[in-house]
């Protein structure tokens, strides 16, 4: 839609095509009864779909504003659009080297065209499929992003992580295997503060060890459209000047 498509799933997520649920049946009925010919109003003029497009239609927020909003998130997830730069990627935890990627099962699920995508062991064995099959690397990194007034650590999964690092999971795995971990970390450091990024951040409530708390993740990252972002900044300046009069 609008020249671009994007989507992502969490590790435990699933995508079901043609679901047999009442909501889907209503949508199919609407589409067949003329909905396919109706003119739809675009919420955003930028490319990219899904949550990224929804976030792009909102006013950009700062990291501090996003953090405050996330602390008050309700049962409904919230999506924020933030402009920030990559400041750091967590490569060590308590002195131990932190894995930046893992291998995910690429076998189709039984009775489905969808891929399993569950984490596999070092031998390639998938506990979900109960066999050894095809696998592919997936990035899962912890990034600290910074803007003019604050910084925040955000879990950044595969698709967004590839855009943040400027390389695919396959390239990162190959670099780590061929040139060593130090070479991969050096390449990551070169990405820090290199360019502003338009981040799509999702905040939702998750339960961890019986405690309900906000979970904030980066679900999309793209280079800032400088012209559009400049207009947003100019609008903010004009509003501040008008309030000062």
């Amino acid at each position: 839609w609008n020249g671009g498509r994007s989507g992502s799933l969490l590790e435990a997520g699933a995508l079901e095509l043609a679901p047999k649920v009442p909501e889907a049946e209503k949508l199919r009925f609407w589409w067949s009864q003329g909905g396919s010919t109706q003119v739809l109003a675009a919420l955003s003029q930028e490319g990219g779909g899904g949550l990224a497009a929804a976030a792009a239609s909102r006013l950009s927020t700062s990291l501090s504003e996003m953090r405050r909003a996330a602390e008050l998130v309700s049962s409904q997830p919230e999506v924020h659009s933030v402009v920030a730069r990559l400041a750091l990627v967590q490569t060590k935890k308590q002195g131990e080297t932190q894995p930046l990627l893992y291998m995910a099962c690429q076998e189709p699920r039984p009775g489905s065209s969808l891929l399993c995508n569950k984490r596999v062991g070092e031998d390639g064995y998938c506990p979900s499929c109960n066999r050894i099959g095809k696998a592919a690397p997936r990035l899962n990194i912890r990034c600290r992003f910074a803007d003019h007034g604050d910084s925040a650590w955000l879990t950044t999964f595969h698709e967004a992580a590839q855009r943040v690092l400027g390389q695919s999971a396959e390239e990162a795995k190959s670099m780590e295997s061929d040139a060593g971990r130090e070479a991969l970390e050096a390449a990551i450091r070169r990405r820090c503060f290199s360019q502003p990024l338009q981040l799509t951040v999702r905040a939702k409530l998750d339960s961890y060890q019986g405690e309900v708390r906000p979970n904030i993740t980066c679900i999309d990252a793209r280079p800032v459209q400088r012209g559009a972002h400049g207009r947003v900044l100019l609008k903010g300046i004009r509003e501040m000047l008008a309030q000062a009069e």
Side-chain angles (χ1 to χ4, degrees):
W1 191 33
N2 286 339
R5 298 178 178 85
S6 66
S8 63
L9 287 172
L10 297 177
E11 181 182 354
L15 177 65
E16 183 177 355
L17 301 179
K20 303 298 183 182
V21 295
E23 293 81 1
E25 296 296 339
K26 290 179 181 179
L27 181 59
R28 277 192 287 266
F29 179 79
W30 168 80
W31 184 262
S32 64
Q33 297 300 312
S36 60
T37 61
Q38 292 187 16
V39 178
L40 303 179
L43 297 178
S44 170
Q45 297 304 313
E46 302 293 336
L51 291 171
S57 67
R58 303 184 183 186
L59 292 175
S60 297
T61 61
S62 66
L63 286 173
S64 60
E65 291 169 335
M66 179 272 295
R67 191 195 298 275
R68 289 194 295 269
E71 291 174 352
L72 303 175
V73 68
S74 62
S75 57
Q76 294 297 321
E78 293 183 358
V79 178
H80 301 272
S81 182
V82 181
V83 173
R85 292 176 185 259
L86 175 67
L88 189 66
V89 174
Q90 185 181 46
T91 58
K92 288 183 172 56
K93 186 175 182 181
Q94 297 179 347
E96 299 292 331
T97 300
Q98 181 79 354
L100 303 178
L101 49 82
Y102 66 93
M103 298 301 292
C105 178
Q106 298 299 287
E107 296 294 337
R109 296 177 180 176
S112 173
S113 61
L114 302 178
L115 299 180
C116 172
N117 270 326
K118 299 290 186 180
R119 188 186 299 262
V120 302
E122 294 182 357
D123 58 355
Y125 176 77
C126 175
S128 180
C129 297
N130 195 28
R131 60 179 172 135
I132 296 176
K134 294 183 295 184
R138 290 289 182 268
L139 286 166
N140 187 17
I141 57 179
R142 184 88 170 151
C143 300
R144 184 162 69 87
F145 295 101
D147 64 6
H148 62 281
D150 202 355
S151 65
W153 285 98
L154 301 175
T155 298
T156 309
F157 186 63
H158 192 53
E159 287 84 0
Q162 292 186 125
R163 296 190 181 102
V164 169
L165 298 185
Q167 60 181 318
S168 68
E170 289 79 6
E171 291 169 336
K173 179 175 174 56
S174 177
M175 180 180 293
E176 186 174 22
S177 300
D178 298 339
R181 174 69 179 224
E182 291 184 0
L184 177 59
E185 292 187 11
I188 291 174
R189 286 194 295 271
R190 288 194 291 271
R191 297 290 296 181
C192 293
F193 298 104
S194 61
Q195 64 174 337
L197 297 169
Q198 187 81 47
L199 307 176
T200 303
V201 180
R202 180 176 60 200
K204 64 175 184 176
L205 291 179
D206 271 352
S207 179
Y208 180 73
Q209 294 183 347
E211 178 185 356
V212 177
R213 60 186 184 183
N215 180 22
I216 310 173
T217 56
C218 175
I219 59 175
D220 191 46
R222 299 173 185 273
V224 167
Q225 300 294 324
R226 296 177 186 268
H229 183 55
R231 288 189 289 272
V232 171
L233 295 178
L234 285 173
K235 180 181 178 182
I237 292 173
R238 294 192 188 101
E239 290 175 350
M240 288 189 290
L241 291 175
Q243 293 174 0
E245 294 178 354

